[in-house]
Amino acid sequence: MGRQPTPATDDGWWRSAVIYQVYVRSFADGDGDGTGDLAGVRARLPYLAELGVDALWFNPWYRSPMKDGGYDVADYRAIDPAFGTLAEAEKLIAEARELGILTIIDIVPNHVSDQHPWFRAALAGGPERQLFHFRPGRGAHGELPPNDWQSEFGGPAWTRLPDGDWYLHLFAPEQPDLNWAHPAVRQEHEDILRFWFDRGVAGVRIDSAALLAKDPELPDFTAGRDPHPYVDRDELHDVYRAWRAVADEYGAVFVGEVWLPDTERFARYLRPDELHTAFNFSFMTCPWDAARLRTSIDDTLAEHAPVGAPATWVLCNHDVTRTVTRYGRSDTGFDFATKAFGTPTDPALGTRRARAAALLSLALPGAVYVYQGEELGLPEADIPLDRIEDPMHARSGGTDPGRDGCRVPLPWSAGEPYAGFGGEPWLPQPDGWAAYAADLQAEDPGSVLRLYREAIRLRPVFGDGPLTWLPAPDGVLAFARADALCVVNLSDTPADLPAHSALLLASRPLDDAGRLPGDTAVWLRA
C-alpha cells in the first residue's frame, strides 16, 4: 500500500494495561454461519469499551486451514474468509482505537501451515526447501526419523514424505517448522510486522517465542543437554533485537509467550532492546494457596525488576482450563496433562475463588490479560467426543482432553437462539449456557460481569507504584499499593480486615461481623 510508518505512540500504556483476549472464532458471529468473525467483534466493541479494557489481543485471524485453531498460518497478509476481509480488519482496528482500545495481533514465527506457498514450493523441490528443516531418515532405508524429538502435540516431531525425506514439526504435521538460520525467514517476518504496524496495530503477541532457533546439527534430545537443541537458544535474541528496532519505529510493543523455568534466562527476553513484556505462567498455574501464590507474585516481580519490565498477570487463556473449573477442584497442584487442578469438586466454590482471583490479579502491579468469557464467569465446557476439533486430543490417543472446552462460543443474549452468539456454533454450547449471558449479567449487580466492570474502573486507585505486603494471618494475602489495599482470604476461616477508611469493592459480601469470608477478596481505601 506504500504507507509510511505512523509516528511512534508508545507512551507506556502497556505497562499497566488491561488487555482482553479475543478468540475470534468463538467471540461473536456476525453473519450467522456459526463461526465468530470480525463483524461480530465490531458489533460488540461497545461492550468491550464499557468493560473498560485498554487493548484487544486477537488470536490468529489469518488465512488458515484451521488444523490448529488458526496457528497454522497460510498467509500472514490475508484474513481468513471465515472471519472476514483485510478491509474489515482495518476498520476494526480503527473503530476500536476511536473507542480508546488498541489492537494486539498474534504472530506464529516457529512454523507455518503446510498450505503456505513456501512449503508447497518446498515439496515441489524448489529452493524454498532451505526455509524448513528437511533431513534424510535414519535406519537402513531411512525409515526412522532423523532424531528423537517429540511433538508438543504427541508423537514424533517428524513426518516422512513420499520422496523419503522427513520434515520437522514441533507441533502438528500440518505445521512445518521454519529454518530461522535462513535470512529470508527473518526478512519475511520483519516485513510482516511492518505490514500490520502500517495498519495501526499497536502490538504483537509472539507465539512459542523461545522455540524458533534450532541446533543446526539437530541432535537427539538428551535430558539436561545445555544448550537445549531447540528451546531458548542464544541466537534467538538477535531475532528479537531486530524486531524491536522495527517496533520502535512505530511505537509498537511485544508480549512473548515464554515458558522457561530459569528466571534469569527468562529475563533476558525482556532487556530494553528486546521484548517489552512476556506472559507470566507461574501465577496462572499456581493452585489456590496463599503461600504459593505469594511466592509466585514475589518471584515474578523479582525476575522482572532487573530489566525494568512490567509483569503480566493472567488467570486463563485459550489453552488452559477455565478459571472457574480449575479453582473448583481440590488443591493438589496443576496437572499439565489435564490442564486442571486435582479432582472435580464444587462449581460454586470455583466461582467464588475466580471472583476473588480477579480482584487479586487486577490489583497487582503490571498488565493484566482477561480471556474472553472470564468476565462472565464461564466454566469449562464438556465437549462430546465426536465434536472435539483440537488436534491435541487425537495426537494423544484421546488421553489429552484438548483445549476446546475453554473455546466454546460466548453467550450474549439469554432469550435468543444459541444464547445470541449467531448461527449454530462450531462447538456446541452446553445446556444452560444462556444463564451466563452478558445481557442478564449486565442487569445483575452481583454478577461476575458487573464485578469485572467495577474492578477495571476502580483499578487506578492502586497507582503505578510497587507492592508492599502487610501482616496477615495464615491463608490470607494482604498488600498495599498507593493508598489502596487488597486483601484476599484463601482460607476457610473468616479474617478481620486491616485498618482502612472505606470499602471500595468486594468479590462477595462480608459476614455479619464485618469480617472477610473464605475465598473472598476486597479492595480497601487506606
Side-chain angles (χ1 to χ4, degrees):
M1 297 176 63
R3 299 185 183 184
Q4 295 300 309
T6 54
T9 56
D10 174 17
D11 57 1
W13 64 271
W14 45 274
R15 302 188 71 88
S16 59
V18 177
I19 301 166
Y20 187 93
Q21 180 186 353
V22 178
Y23 192 79
V24 177
R25 197 178 184 188
S26 297
F27 185 72
D29 171 18
D31 62 9
D33 66 355
T35 296
D37 48 38
L38 301 190
V41 179
R42 292 174 64 198
R44 300 294 179 178
L45 284 175
Y47 167 87
L48 296 166
E50 187 171 6
L51 184 59
V53 300
D54 300 296
L56 305 177
W57 158 36
F58 290 89
N59 289 100
W61 55 13
Y62 316 105
R63 185 183 296 276
S64 166
M66 296 292 168
K67 298 298 184 181
D68 181 26
Y71 282 86
D72 48 321
V73 179
D75 186 349
Y76 266 115
R77 295 173 178 83
I79 299 296
D80 193 89
F83 299 150
T85 65
L86 180 59
E88 283 184 286
E90 292 175 336
K91 289 179 181 178
L92 172 54
I93 294 166
E95 289 167 358
R97 189 180 286 265
E98 289 175 1
L99 293 172
I101 301 174
L102 300 176
T103 298
I104 297 172
I105 60 170
D106 223 312
I107 291 291
V108 191
N110 179 71
H111 49 263
V112 293
S113 166
D114 61 356
Q115 300 303 305
H116 190 283
W118 278 2
F119 193 69
R120 289 193 289 183
L123 293 184
E128 290 82 0
R129 211 170 178 87
Q130 300 174 33
L131 306 179
F132 301 91
H133 299 280
F134 286 90
R135 294 291 189 278
R138 297 190 291 191
H141 305 287
E143 72 277 11
L144 300 176
N147 65 28
D148 63 359
W149 296 3
Q150 294 295 296
S151 163
E152 296 288 324
F153 289 170
W158 295 90
T159 290
R160 195 179 192 187
L161 296 169
D163 65 8
D165 270 358
W166 299 71
Y167 69 88
L168 176 68
H169 52 84
L170 290 182
F171 294 87
E174 296 87 358
Q175 296 167 292
D177 279 35
L178 289 166
N179 174 17
W180 274 87
H182 197 291
V185 173
R186 294 184 57 162
Q187 185 61 55
E188 169 67 358
H189 281 76
E190 291 174 25
D191 291 346
I192 290 168
L193 293 175
R194 293 183 186 279
F195 179 88
W196 287 106
F197 291 155
D198 280 339
R199 283 157 179 78
V201 163
V204 167
R205 178 262 190 185
I206 307 168
D207 180 71
S208 300
L211 300 186
L212 280 57
K214 314 293 193 294
D215 185 325
E217 300 300 320
L218 300 180
D220 280 343
F221 178 80
T222 303
R225 175 187 287 274
D226 186 21
H228 193 288
Y230 60 83
V231 175
D232 182 37
R233 294 184 61 81
D234 287 344
E235 56 265 40
L236 184 53
H237 294 280
D238 286 340
V239 172
Y240 293 136
R241 290 190 185 97
W243 284 26
R244 179 61 177 262
V246 174
D248 284 349
E249 296 177 27
Y250 294 84
V253 300
F254 292 120
V255 55
E257 182 191 28
V258 182
W259 292 79
L260 293 177
D262 186 323
T263 58
E264 183 177 347
R265 299 286 299 186
F266 173 85
R268 296 179 70 202
Y269 290 84
L270 301 175
R271 290 175 290 194
D273 61 345
E274 294 193 42
L275 308 183
H276 299 76
T277 61
F279 280 130
N280 160 35
F281 293 112
S282 70
F283 181 77
M284 179 181 70
T285 57
C286 193
W288 191 244
D289 177 89
R292 292 178 65 176
L293 277 168
R294 176 167 174 169
T295 296
S296 174
I297 293 167
D298 284 340
D299 289 350
T300 297
L301 295 175
E303 69 189 19
H304 286 73
V307 287
T312 63
W313 310 100
V314 59
L315 295 172
C316 184
N317 62 32
H318 63 293
D319 287 334
V320 178
T321 299
R322 283 196 178 274
T323 311
V324 165
T325 300
R326 229 170 50 239
Y327 282 153
R329 299 174 185 251
S330 57
D331 303 330
T332 57
F334 188 78
D335 182 352
F336 279 93
T338 60
K339 303 176 185 66
F341 292 94
T343 56
T345 52
D346 181 3
L349 172 67
T351 299
R352 291 197 301 272
R353 290 176 171 179
R355 291 172 65 100
L359 294 195
L360 171 61
S361 62
L362 286 164
L364 294 170
V368 177
Y369 283 75
V370 178
Y371 177 50
Q372 65 180 42
E374 289 290 287
E375 82 281 10
L376 300 177
L378 295 182
E380 187 82 355
D382 290 327
I383 308 297
L385 291 179
D386 63 346
R387 296 293 301 275
I388 293 176
E389 297 202 9
D390 186 0
M392 291 186 74
H393 178 71
R395 295 270 300 175
S396 69
T399 60
D400 190 312
R403 300 160 294 180
D404 289 345
C406 64
R407 300 176 178 183
V408 173
L410 298 189
W412 290 102
S413 304
E416 297 182 17
Y418 310 116
F421 172 71
E424 181 177 356
W426 68 281
L427 281 176
Q429 295 173 320
D431 292 340
W433 206 239
Y436 297 98
D439 65 342
L440 292 182
Q441 296 204 34
E443 301 301 320
D444 178 4
S447 70
V448 179
L449 176 59
R450 291 284 288 270
L451 178 70
Y452 264 90
R453 284 179 177 175
E454 187 66 4
I456 293 171
R457 185 185 71 81
L458 289 173
R459 189 167 180 255
V461 301
F462 288 99
D464 58 2
L467 173 156
T468 302
W469 291 107
L470 303 176
D474 289 345
V476 177
L477 298 176
F479 59 85
R481 294 183 61 215
D483 63 347
L485 314 177
C486 177
V487 186
V488 188
N489 185 359
L490 296 90
S491 75
D492 296 326
T493 305
D496 292 327
L497 294 176
H500 61 281
S501 62
L503 173 64
L504 298 174
L505 187 61
S507 65
R508 65 185 181 124
L510 303 181
D511 69 11
D512 292 342
R515 296 174 300 178
L516 187 63
D519 299 319
T520 306
V522 291
W523 290 358
L524 307 170
R525 179 81 69 181

